[in-house]
Coordinates of all heavy atoms in Angstrom, one line a residue:
M1 N -14.6 15.7 28.8 CA -15.4 14.5 28.5 C -14.5 13.3 28.4 O -13.5 13.4 27.7 CB -16.2 14.7 27.3 CG -17.3 15.6 27.4 SD -18.3 15.5 25.9 CE -19.7 16.5 26.4
G2 N -14.8 12.2 28.9 CA -14.1 11.0 28.9 C -14.3 10.2 27.6 O -13.5 9.3 27.3
R3 N -15.3 10.5 26.8 CA -15.6 9.8 25.6 C -15.2 10.5 24.3 O -15.8 10.3 23.3 CB -17.1 9.4 25.6 CG -17.5 8.3 26.5 CD -18.9 7.9 26.3 NE -19.3 7.8 24.9 CZ -19.4 6.6 24.3 NH1 -19.2 5.5 24.9 NH2 -19.8 6.5 23.0
D4 N -14.3 11.4 24.4 CA -13.9 12.1 23.2 C -12.7 11.3 22.5 O -11.7 11.1 23.2 CB -13.4 13.5 23.5 CG -14.5 14.4 24.1 OD1 -15.7 14.0 24.1 OD2 -14.2 15.5 24.5
A5 N -12.9 11.0 21.3 CA -11.9 10.2 20.5 C -11.2 11.2 19.6 O -11.7 12.2 19.1 CB -12.6 9.1 19.7
R6 N -10.0 10.9 19.3 CA -9.2 11.6 18.4 C -8.7 10.8 17.2 O -8.5 9.6 17.4 CB -7.9 12.2 19.0 CG -8.2 13.4 20.0 CD -7.0 14.0 20.5 NE -7.3 15.2 21.2 CZ -6.5 16.2 21.4 NH1 -5.3 16.1 21.0 NH2 -6.9 17.3 22.0
I7 N -8.6 11.4 16.0 CA -8.2 10.7 14.9 C -7.3 11.6 14.1 O -7.5 12.8 13.9 CB -9.4 10.2 14.0 CG1 -8.9 9.3 12.9 CG2 -10.2 11.3 13.5 CD1 -9.9 8.5 12.2
D8 N -6.2 11.0 13.5 CA -5.3 11.8 12.7 C -5.7 11.7 11.2 O -6.1 10.6 10.8 CB -3.8 11.2 12.8 CG -3.2 11.4 14.2 OD1 -3.5 12.5 14.8 OD2 -2.5 10.6 14.6
V9 N -5.7 12.8 10.6 CA -6.3 13.0 9.2 C -5.2 13.6 8.3 O -4.5 14.6 8.8 CB -7.6 13.8 9.2 CG1 -8.1 14.1 7.8 CG2 -8.6 13.1 10.1
R10 N -5.2 13.2 7.1 CA -4.4 13.9 6.0 C -5.5 14.5 5.1 O -6.2 13.7 4.5 CB -3.5 12.9 5.3 CG -2.8 13.5 4.1 CD -1.6 14.3 4.5 NE -0.9 14.8 3.3 CZ 0.2 15.5 3.3 NH1 0.7 15.9 4.5 NH2 0.7 15.9 2.2
L11 N -5.5 15.8 5.0 CA -6.6 16.5 4.2 C -6.0 16.9 2.9 O -4.9 17.4 2.7 CB -7.1 17.7 5.0 CG -8.2 18.5 4.3 CD1 -9.4 17.7 4.1 CD2 -8.5 19.8 5.1
Q12 N -6.8 16.6 1.8 CA -6.5 17.1 0.5 C -7.6 18.1 0.1 O -8.7 17.7 -0.4 CB -6.5 15.9 -0.5 CG -5.5 14.9 -0.2 CD -5.6 13.7 -1.2 OE1 -6.5 13.6 -2.0 NE2 -4.6 12.8 -1.0
P13 N -7.3 19.4 0.2 CA -8.2 20.4 -0.2 C -8.3 20.5 -1.7 O -7.4 20.0 -2.4 CB -7.7 21.7 0.4 CG -6.2 21.4 0.6 CD -6.1 20.0 0.8
R14 N -9.3 21.1 -2.3 CA -9.5 21.3 -3.7 C -9.4 19.9 -4.4 O -8.8 19.8 -5.5 CB -8.5 22.2 -4.3 CG -8.7 23.7 -4.0 CD -7.8 24.5 -4.9 NE -8.0 25.9 -4.5 CZ -7.0 26.7 -4.1 NH1 -5.8 26.2 -4.0 NH2 -7.3 27.9 -3.8
G15 N -10.0 18.9 -3.8 CA -9.9 17.6 -4.3 C -11.0 17.1 -5.1 O -11.2 15.9 -5.3
G16 N -11.9 18.0 -5.6 CA -13.0 17.5 -6.3 C -14.2 17.2 -5.4 O -14.5 18.1 -4.5
R17 N -14.7 16.0 -5.4 CA -15.8 15.7 -4.5 C -15.3 15.4 -3.1 O -14.2 14.8 -2.9 CB -16.4 14.4 -5.0 CG -17.7 14.6 -5.7 CD -18.4 13.3 -5.9 NE -18.5 13.1 -7.4 CZ -18.8 12.0 -8.0 NH1 -19.0 10.9 -7.3 NH2 -18.9 12.0 -9.3
D18 N -16.1 15.8 -2.1 CA -15.8 15.5 -0.7 C -15.9 14.0 -0.5 O -16.8 13.3 -1.0 CB -16.8 16.1 0.2 CG -16.7 17.7 0.3 OD1 -15.8 18.2 -0.4 OD2 -17.4 18.3 1.0
G19 N -14.9 13.4 0.2 CA -15.0 12.0 0.5 C -13.9 11.5 1.3 O -12.8 12.1 1.4
I20 N -14.1 10.3 1.9 CA -13.0 9.6 2.7 C -12.4 8.6 1.7 O -13.1 7.8 1.1 CB -13.6 8.9 3.9 CG1 -14.2 9.9 4.9 CG2 -12.6 8.0 4.6 CD1 -14.9 9.3 6.1
L21 N -11.1 8.7 1.6 CA -10.4 7.9 0.6 C -9.8 6.6 1.2 O -9.4 5.7 0.4 CB -9.2 8.7 0.0 CG -9.6 10.1 -0.7 CD1 -8.4 10.8 -1.1 CD2 -10.6 9.8 -1.8
G22 N -9.7 6.5 2.5 CA -9.2 5.3 3.1 C -8.0 5.7 4.1 O -8.0 6.8 4.6
W23 N -7.1 4.8 4.2 CA -6.1 5.0 5.2 C -4.7 5.0 4.6 O -4.5 4.3 3.6 CB -6.1 3.8 6.2 CG -7.3 3.9 7.1 CD1 -8.5 3.2 6.8 CD2 -7.5 4.5 8.3 NE1 -9.4 3.5 7.8 CE2 -8.8 4.3 8.7 CE3 -6.7 5.3 9.1 CZ2 -9.4 4.8 9.9 CZ3 -7.2 5.9 10.3 CH2 -8.5 5.6 10.7
R24 N -3.8 5.8 5.1 CA -2.4 5.8 4.8 C -1.7 5.7 6.1 O -1.6 6.6 6.9 CB -1.9 7.0 4.1 CG -0.4 7.0 3.7 CD 0.1 8.2 3.1 NE -0.5 8.5 1.8 CZ -0.5 9.7 1.2 NH1 0.0 10.7 1.8 NH2 -1.1 9.8 0.1
G25 N -1.3 4.4 6.4 CA -0.7 4.2 7.7 C -1.7 4.4 8.8 O -2.8 3.8 8.7
D26 N -1.5 5.3 9.8 CA -2.4 5.6 10.8 C -3.2 6.8 10.6 O -4.0 7.2 11.5 CB -1.7 5.7 12.2 CG -1.1 4.4 12.7 OD1 -1.7 3.3 12.3 OD2 -0.2 4.4 13.5
R27 N -3.1 7.4 9.4 CA -3.9 8.6 9.0 C -5.0 8.3 8.1 O -4.9 7.6 7.1 CB -3.0 9.6 8.4 CG -2.2 10.4 9.3 CD -1.6 11.6 8.7 NE -0.6 12.2 9.6 CZ -1.0 12.9 10.6 NH1 -2.2 13.3 10.8 NH2 -0.1 13.4 11.5
L28 N -6.2 8.9 8.4 CA -7.3 8.8 7.5 C -7.1 9.8 6.4 O -6.9 11.0 6.7 CB -8.6 9.1 8.3 CG -9.9 8.9 7.5 CD1 -10.2 7.4 7.2 CD2 -11.1 9.4 8.4
L29 N -7.2 9.4 5.1 CA -7.1 10.3 4.0 C -8.5 10.8 3.6 O -9.4 10.0 3.4 CB -6.6 9.6 2.8 CG -5.1 9.1 2.9 CD1 -4.8 8.3 1.6 CD2 -4.2 10.3 3.0
V30 N -8.6 12.1 3.6 CA -9.9 12.8 3.3 C -9.7 13.9 2.3 O -8.7 14.6 2.4 CB -10.5 13.4 4.6 CG1 -11.8 14.1 4.3 CG2 -10.7 12.4 5.7
R31 N -10.6 14.0 1.3 CA -10.5 15.1 0.4 C -11.8 15.9 0.4 O -12.9 15.3 0.7 CB -10.2 14.6 -1.0 CG -11.4 14.1 -1.8 CD -11.1 13.8 -3.2 NE -12.3 13.0 -3.6 CZ -12.2 12.0 -4.5 NH1 -11.1 11.7 -5.1 NH2 -13.3 11.3 -4.8
V32 N -11.6 17.2 0.2 CA -12.7 18.1 0.2 C -12.6 19.0 -1.1 O -11.5 19.3 -1.5 CB -12.9 18.9 1.5 CG1 -13.2 18.1 2.7 CG2 -11.6 19.8 1.7
A33 N -13.7 19.5 -1.6 CA -13.7 20.3 -2.7 C -13.3 21.8 -2.3 O -12.7 22.5 -3.2 CB -15.1 20.4 -3.4
A34 N -13.5 22.1 -1.1 CA -13.2 23.5 -0.7 C -11.7 23.8 -0.7 O -10.9 23.0 -0.5 CB -13.7 23.7 0.8
P35 N -11.4 25.1 -1.0 CA -10.0 25.5 -1.0 C -9.5 25.8 0.4 O -10.3 26.0 1.3 CB -10.0 26.8 -1.8 CG -11.4 27.3 -1.6 CD -12.3 26.1 -1.4
P36 N -8.2 25.7 0.6 CA -7.6 26.0 2.0 C -7.5 27.5 2.2 O -6.5 28.0 2.5 CB -6.3 25.3 1.9 CG -5.9 25.5 0.5 CD -7.1 25.3 -0.3
V37 N -8.7 28.2 2.1 CA -8.7 29.6 2.3 C -9.7 30.0 3.3 O -10.9 29.5 3.3 CB -9.1 30.3 0.9 CG1 -9.2 31.8 1.1 CG2 -8.1 30.0 -0.2
D38 N -9.4 30.8 4.2 CA -10.3 31.3 5.3 C -10.9 30.2 6.1 O -12.1 30.2 6.5 CB -11.4 32.2 4.7 CG -10.9 33.5 4.1 OD1 -9.8 34.0 4.6 OD2 -11.4 33.9 3.1
G39 N -10.2 29.0 6.2 CA -10.7 27.9 7.0 C -11.8 27.1 6.3 O -12.4 26.2 6.9
R40 N -12.0 27.3 5.0 CA -13.1 26.6 4.3 C -12.9 25.1 4.2 O -13.8 24.3 4.4 CB -13.4 27.2 3.0 CG -14.1 28.6 3.1 CD -14.6 29.0 1.7 NE -13.5 29.8 1.1 CZ -13.6 30.3 -0.1 NH1 -14.6 30.2 -0.8 NH2 -12.5 31.0 -0.6
A41 N -11.6 24.7 4.0 CA -11.3 23.3 3.9 C -11.5 22.6 5.2 O -12.0 21.5 5.3 CB -9.9 23.1 3.3
N42 N -11.1 23.3 6.3 CA -11.3 22.8 7.7 C -12.8 22.6 8.0 O -13.2 21.6 8.6 CB -10.6 23.7 8.7 CG -9.1 23.6 8.6 OD1 -8.5 22.7 8.1 ND2 -8.5 24.7 9.1
M43 N -13.6 23.6 7.6 CA -15.0 23.5 7.9 C -15.6 22.3 7.1 O -16.5 21.6 7.6 CB -15.7 24.8 7.6 CG -15.4 25.9 8.6 SD -16.4 27.4 8.3 CE -15.5 28.1 6.9
A44 N -15.2 22.2 5.9 CA -15.7 21.1 5.0 C -15.3 19.8 5.6 O -16.1 18.8 5.6 CB -15.2 21.2 3.6
L45 N -14.1 19.6 6.1 CA -13.6 18.4 6.8 C -14.5 18.1 7.9 O -15.0 16.9 8.1 CB -12.2 18.6 7.2 CG -11.6 17.5 8.1 CD1 -11.6 16.1 7.4 CD2 -10.2 17.9 8.6
C46 N -14.8 19.0 8.8 CA -15.6 18.8 10.0 C -17.0 18.4 9.6 O -17.6 17.5 10.2 CB -15.5 20.0 10.9 SG -13.9 20.2 11.7
R47 N -17.6 19.1 8.6 CA -18.9 18.7 8.2 C -19.0 17.3 7.6 O -19.9 16.5 7.9 CB -19.4 19.7 7.1 CG -20.0 20.9 7.6 CD -20.8 21.7 6.5 NE -19.9 21.9 5.3 CZ -19.2 22.9 5.0 NH1 -19.1 23.9 5.9 NH2 -18.5 23.0 3.9
L48 N -18.0 16.9 6.8 CA -17.9 15.6 6.2 C -17.8 14.5 7.3 O -18.5 13.5 7.3 CB -16.8 15.5 5.2 CG -16.5 14.1 4.7 CD1 -17.6 13.6 3.8 CD2 -15.2 14.1 3.9
L49 N -16.9 14.7 8.2 CA -16.7 13.7 9.3 C -17.9 13.6 10.1 O -18.3 12.5 10.5 CB -15.5 14.0 10.1 CG -14.1 13.8 9.4 CD1 -13.0 14.2 10.3 CD2 -14.0 12.3 9.0
A50 N -18.6 14.7 10.5 CA -19.8 14.7 11.3 C -20.9 13.8 10.6 O -21.5 13.0 11.2 CB -20.3 16.1 11.6
R51 N -21.0 14.1 9.3 CA -22.0 13.3 8.5 C -21.7 11.8 8.4 O -22.5 11.0 8.7 CB -22.1 13.9 7.1 CG -23.2 13.3 6.2 CD -23.4 13.9 4.9 NE -22.2 13.7 4.1 CZ -21.4 14.7 3.5 NH1 -21.7 15.9 3.8 NH2 -20.4 14.4 2.8
E52 N -20.4 11.5 8.1 CA -20.0 10.1 8.0 C -20.0 9.4 9.3 O -20.3 8.2 9.4 CB -18.6 10.0 7.4 CG -18.5 10.5 6.0 CD -19.2 9.6 5.0 OE1 -19.2 8.4 5.2 OE2 -19.8 10.2 4.1
L53 N -19.8 10.1 10.4 CA -19.8 9.4 11.7 C -21.1 9.4 12.4 O -21.3 8.8 13.5 CB -18.7 10.1 12.7 CG -17.3 10.0 12.2 CD1 -16.4 10.9 13.0 CD2 -16.8 8.5 12.3
G54 N -22.1 10.2 11.9 CA -23.4 10.2 12.4 C -23.5 11.0 13.7 O -24.2 10.6 14.6
V55 N -22.7 12.1 13.8 CA -22.7 12.9 15.0 C -23.1 14.4 14.5 O -23.0 14.7 13.3 CB -21.4 12.9 15.7 CG1 -21.1 11.5 16.2 CG2 -20.2 13.5 14.9
S56 N -23.4 15.2 15.5 CA -23.7 16.6 15.1 C -22.4 17.3 14.7 O -21.3 17.0 15.1 CB -24.3 17.3 16.3 OG -23.3 17.6 17.3
R57 N -22.5 18.4 13.9 CA -21.4 19.1 13.4 C -20.6 19.7 14.6 O -19.4 19.8 14.6 CB -21.9 20.2 12.5 CG -20.9 21.3 12.1 CD -19.6 20.8 11.5 NE -18.6 21.9 11.5 CZ -17.7 22.1 12.4 NH1 -17.7 21.4 13.5 NH2 -16.9 23.1 12.3
G58 N -21.3 20.1 15.7 CA -20.7 20.7 16.9 C -19.8 19.7 17.6 O -19.0 20.1 18.5
A59 N -20.0 18.4 17.4 CA -19.2 17.3 18.1 C -17.9 17.1 17.5 O -17.0 16.5 18.1 CB -20.0 16.0 18.1
V60 N -17.6 17.7 16.3 CA -16.4 17.5 15.6 C -15.6 18.8 15.6 O -16.1 19.8 15.2 CB -16.6 17.0 14.1 CG1 -15.3 16.9 13.4 CG2 -17.4 15.8 14.1
R61 N -14.3 18.8 16.0 CA -13.5 20.0 16.0 C -12.0 19.6 15.7 O -11.6 18.5 16.0 CB -13.6 20.7 17.3 CG -12.9 20.1 18.5 CD -12.9 21.0 19.7 NE -12.0 20.5 20.7 CZ -10.7 20.8 20.8 NH1 -10.1 21.5 19.9 NH2 -9.9 20.2 21.7
L62 N -11.3 20.6 15.2 CA -9.9 20.4 15.0 C -9.2 20.6 16.3 O -9.3 21.6 16.9 CB -9.4 21.4 13.9 CG -9.7 21.1 12.5 CD1 -9.1 22.1 11.6 CD2 -9.3 19.7 12.0
A63 N -8.4 19.6 16.7 CA -7.6 19.7 17.9 C -6.2 20.2 17.5 O -5.6 21.0 18.3 CB -7.5 18.4 18.6
L64 N -5.6 19.8 16.4 CA -4.3 20.2 15.9 C -4.3 20.3 14.4 O -5.0 19.6 13.7 CB -3.2 19.1 16.3 CG -3.0 18.9 17.8 CD1 -2.2 17.6 18.0 CD2 -2.3 20.1 18.4
G65 N -3.4 21.2 13.9 CA -3.2 21.2 12.5 C -4.1 22.2 11.7 O -4.4 22.0 10.6
L66 N -4.4 23.3 12.3 CA -5.3 24.3 11.7 C -4.8 24.7 10.3 O -5.6 24.9 9.4 CB -5.4 25.5 12.6 CG -6.5 26.5 12.3 CD1 -7.9 25.9 12.4 CD2 -6.4 27.7 13.2
T67 N -3.5 24.9 10.1 CA -3.0 25.4 8.8 C -2.2 24.3 8.1 O -1.5 24.6 7.1 CB -2.1 26.6 9.0 OG1 -1.0 26.3 9.9 CG2 -2.9 27.8 9.6
S68 N -2.2 23.1 8.6 CA -1.5 22.0 8.0 C -2.4 21.0 7.3 O -3.6 20.9 7.6 CB -0.7 21.3 9.1 OG -0.1 20.1 8.6
R69 N -1.9 20.2 6.4 CA -2.7 19.2 5.8 C -2.8 18.0 6.7 O -3.8 17.2 6.6 CB -2.0 18.6 4.5 CG -2.2 19.6 3.3 CD -1.5 19.1 2.1 NE -1.6 20.1 1.0 CZ -2.1 19.8 -0.2 NH1 -2.5 18.6 -0.5 NH2 -2.1 20.8 -1.1
D70 N -1.9 17.8 7.6 CA -2.0 16.8 8.7 C -2.7 17.4 9.9 O -2.2 18.4 10.4 CB -0.6 16.3 9.0 CG 0.1 15.5 7.9 OD1 -0.7 14.8 7.1 OD2 1.3 15.6 7.7
K71 N -3.8 16.8 10.3 CA -4.6 17.3 11.3 C -5.0 16.2 12.3 O -4.9 15.1 12.0 CB -5.9 17.9 10.7 CG -5.6 18.9 9.7 CD -6.9 19.4 9.0 CE -6.6 20.5 8.0 NZ -5.9 21.7 8.4
T72 N -5.3 16.7 13.5 CA -5.9 15.8 14.5 C -7.3 16.3 14.8 O -7.5 17.5 15.1 CB -5.1 15.7 15.8 OG1 -3.8 15.2 15.5 CG2 -5.7 14.8 16.8
V73 N -8.3 15.4 14.6 CA -9.7 15.8 14.8 C -10.2 15.1 16.0 O -9.9 13.9 16.3 CB -10.5 15.4 13.6 CG1 -12.0 15.7 13.8 CG2 -10.0 16.0 12.3
E74 N -10.9 15.9 16.8 CA -11.5 15.3 18.1 C -13.0 15.2 17.9 O -13.7 16.2 17.3 CB -11.2 16.3 19.2 CG -11.6 15.7 20.6 CD -11.2 16.6 21.7 OE1 -11.8 17.6 21.9 OE2 -10.1 16.3 22.3
V75 N -13.6 14.1 18.3 CA -15.0 13.9 18.1 C -15.6 13.6 19.5 O -15.3 12.6 20.2 CB -15.3 12.7 17.2 CG1 -16.8 12.5 17.0 CG2 -14.6 12.8 15.9
A76 N -16.4 14.5 20.0 CA -17.0 14.4 21.3 C -18.2 13.4 21.3 O -18.9 13.2 20.3 CB -17.6 15.8 21.7
G77 N -18.2 12.6 22.4 CA -19.3 11.7 22.5 C -19.1 10.3 22.0 O -19.9 9.4 22.1
L78 N -17.9 10.1 21.3 CA -17.6 8.7 20.8 C -16.3 8.3 21.4 O -15.4 9.0 21.5 CB -17.4 8.8 19.3 CG -18.6 9.0 18.4 CD1 -18.1 8.9 16.9 CD2 -19.6 7.9 18.6
G79 N -16.3 7.0 21.8 CA -15.0 6.4 22.2 C -14.2 6.0 20.9 O -14.7 6.0 19.8
E80 N -12.9 5.7 21.1 CA -12.1 5.5 19.9 C -12.5 4.2 19.2 O -12.6 4.3 17.9 CB -10.6 5.3 20.4 CG -9.7 5.1 19.2 CD -8.2 5.1 19.6 OE1 -7.9 5.6 20.7 OE2 -7.4 4.6 18.8
A81 N -12.9 3.2 19.9 CA -13.4 2.0 19.2 C -14.6 2.2 18.3 O -14.8 1.8 17.2 CB -13.6 0.8 20.2
E82 N -15.6 3.0 18.9 CA -16.8 3.3 18.2 C -16.5 4.2 17.0 O -17.1 4.0 15.9 CB -17.8 4.0 19.2 CG -19.1 4.2 18.6 CD -20.1 4.8 19.6 OE1 -19.7 5.1 20.7 OE2 -21.3 4.9 19.2
L83 N -15.6 5.2 17.1 CA -15.2 6.0 16.0 C -14.6 5.2 14.9 O -15.1 5.3 13.7 CB -14.2 7.1 16.5 CG -13.8 8.0 15.4 CD1 -13.9 9.5 15.8 CD2 -12.3 7.7 15.0
L84 N -13.7 4.3 15.2 CA -13.1 3.5 14.2 C -14.1 2.6 13.5 O -14.0 2.3 12.3 CB -11.9 2.8 14.7 CG -10.7 3.6 15.1 CD1 -9.6 2.8 15.8 CD2 -10.1 4.4 14.0
A85 N -15.1 2.1 14.2 CA -16.1 1.2 13.7 C -16.9 1.9 12.7 O -17.5 1.2 11.8 CB -16.9 0.6 14.8
R86 N -17.1 3.2 12.8 CA -17.9 4.0 11.8 C -17.2 4.4 10.6 O -17.8 5.0 9.7 CB -18.5 5.2 12.6 CG -19.5 4.8 13.7 CD -20.0 6.0 14.4 NE -20.8 5.6 15.5 CZ -21.7 6.4 16.1 NH1 -21.9 7.6 15.6 NH2 -22.4 6.0 17.1
L87 N -15.9 4.2 10.5 CA -15.0 4.6 9.4 C -14.7 3.3 8.5 O -14.9 2.2 9.0 CB -13.7 5.2 9.9 CG -13.9 6.6 10.6 CD1 -12.6 7.0 11.2 CD2 -14.4 7.6 9.6
P88 N -14.2 3.6 7.3 CA -13.8 2.4 6.5 C -12.8 1.6 7.2 O -11.9 2.2 7.9 CB -13.3 3.1 5.2 CG -13.8 4.5 5.2 CD -14.0 4.8 6.6
P89 N -12.7 0.3 7.0 CA -11.7 -0.5 7.7 C -10.3 -0.2 7.1 O -10.2 0.1 5.9 CB -12.2 -1.9 7.4 CG -13.0 -1.8 6.2 CD -13.7 -0.5 6.2
R90 N -9.4 -0.4 7.9 CA -8.0 -0.3 7.5 C -7.6 -1.5 6.7 O -8.0 -2.6 7.0 CB -7.0 -0.1 8.7 CG -7.3 1.1 9.4 CD -6.3 1.3 10.5 NE -6.6 2.5 11.2 CZ -6.0 3.0 12.3 NH1 -5.1 2.3 12.8 NH2 -6.4 4.1 12.9
D91 N -6.8 -1.4 5.7 CA -6.3 -2.5 4.9 C -5.3 -3.3 5.7 O -4.5 -2.7 6.4 CB -5.7 -2.0 3.6 CG -6.7 -1.4 2.6 OD1 -7.9 -1.7 2.8 OD2 -6.3 -0.5 1.8
G92 N -5.3 -4.6 5.5 CA -4.3 -5.4 6.1 C -4.6 -5.7 7.5 O -4.0 -5.9 8.4

């Protein structure tokens, strides 16, 4: 698909409430309550991003970083500009 956007994410598992914390450089900081066990934190990340971006859960998938805190997430059906417009603005 030509309209799949990617975004780099820094994930904080076991972080209390699920939420988007903002930006650190070019990475979106996201925390989830789920632990990094059996892919639960990754699933929570994809659910959270789908909800925040207004897309289906199936449209969000991990492209890179399955076992790392630094991940690349791919969102089907959104261009990069549209994806960034649906997220909190970057500082500066």
Side-chain angles (χ1 to χ4, degrees):
M1 285 187 174
R3 282 186 47 101
D4 295 353
R6 287 185 171 205
I7 186 166
D8 292 324
V9 173
R10 173 78 175 183
L11 180 63
Q12 296 176 357
R14 287 193 183 118
R17 258 190 243 167
D18 292 357
I20 294 175
L21 303 177
W23 293 90
R24 179 184 296 160
D26 288 339
R27 278 194 191 280
L28 184 67
L29 294 175
V30 178
R31 82 172 161 215
V32 295
V37 177
D38 297 328
R40 288 191 271 179
N42 289 337
M43 288 185 283
L45 169 65
C46 290
R47 275 193 310 269
L48 172 66
L49 288 177
R51 185 176 67 238
E52 293 294 321
L53 295 170
V55 298
S56 71
R57 166 57 192 93
V60 179
R61 74 171 191 88
L62 287 182
L64 296 169
L66 193 62
T67 60
S68 170
R69 286 179 184 234
D70 292 326
K71 303 177 181 298
T72 299
V73 177
E74 187 173 79
V75 182
L78 289 182
E80 187 174 337
E82 190 174 4
L83 178 131
L84 291 174
R86 294 180 185 199
L87 292 170
R90 293 181 183 177
D91 294 335

